[in-house]
Amino acid sequence: MSDTLDLSRLDRMMAGHAGQLGLRYVAHGDDWAELGFDYKPSLAMNAENGVLASGPIISLIDSACGFSIAAKIKRVRPMATLDLRIDYVRAAPPGRAITARATCYRVARNVAFVRCLAHDGDPEDPVAHALATFFFTGD
C-alpha cells in the first residue's frame, strides 16, 4: 500500500450524479478531504429566492466523507453510507459556492467514522455539519 493517495486524480469518482451536480475536488490531507460545487440556479429549491436545495448539499457531504476515508486509509475501498446525520445551521444563499470538509476520525475493520462541515466561504459560519458512518462492502 502506498503512503500517498492522489485524490485529485480520481476523476471517475466525480462522474455520474456527482458530475451532474458539478462536484469538484478542492484539497485533501492525511485524514481529510474537501470537495465543493459552484452555485447553479438549477440546484435551487425555489426559483424565486434562489436558496439551494438540500439534495446537492447532502450529496456533497456524502462524497466528501467518502473521499476523507480514502485519504485516511490511503486507498479506495467499496463502501456504503450506513448513517448520515446532517444538521442544517442556516440556508445556503444564492450565488455562493459550497465547500465541504470531511475528516475521517476512526477506521475499524469494517466501519469508518467521519465528521463534516459545509460552508459557503467561511468555515466559522457553516451551512451544515454532519456525522457519518460508512460500512466497507469489499476490499
Side-chain angles (χ1 to χ4, degrees), residues 8 14 21-22 25 31-33 40 45 47 58 64 67 69 75 88-89 97-98 109 114-115 119 122 127 129:
S8 66
M14 295 304 233
L21 294 174
Y25 168 85
D31 62 355
W32 61 271
K40 294 191 287 191
M45 72 173 146
I58 293 168
F67 269 64
I69 295 167
R75 66 185 180 121
Y88 288 93
V89 180
I98 303 294
R109 188 173 61 154
V114 184
R115 295 181 189 97
H119 62 86
D122 181 3
V127 170
H129 62 86

Side-chain angles (χ1 to χ4, degrees), residues 35 94 97 115 117 133 135:
L35 301 180
R115 295 181 189 97
L117 185 83
T133 308
F135 183 77

Side-chain angles (χ1 to χ4, degrees), residues 61-119:
I61 288 171
D62 189 49
S63 297
C65 288
F67 269 64
S68 75
I69 295 167
K72 174 101 172 167
I73 66 174
K74 310 294 188 249
R75 66 185 180 121
V76 176
R77 285 184 70 185
M79 65 184 89
T81 307
L82 192 60
D83 184 47
L84 178 60
R85 179 206 160 105
I86 300 174
D87 291 321
Y88 288 93
V89 180
R90 63 181 177 84
R96 306 286 303 263
I98 303 294
T99 301
R101 181 180 177 127
T103 302
C104 179
Y105 63 91
R106 172 129 165 75
V107 177
R109 188 173 61 154
N110 292 316
V111 180
F113 302 88
V114 184
R115 295 181 189 97
C116 186
L117 185 83
H119 62 86

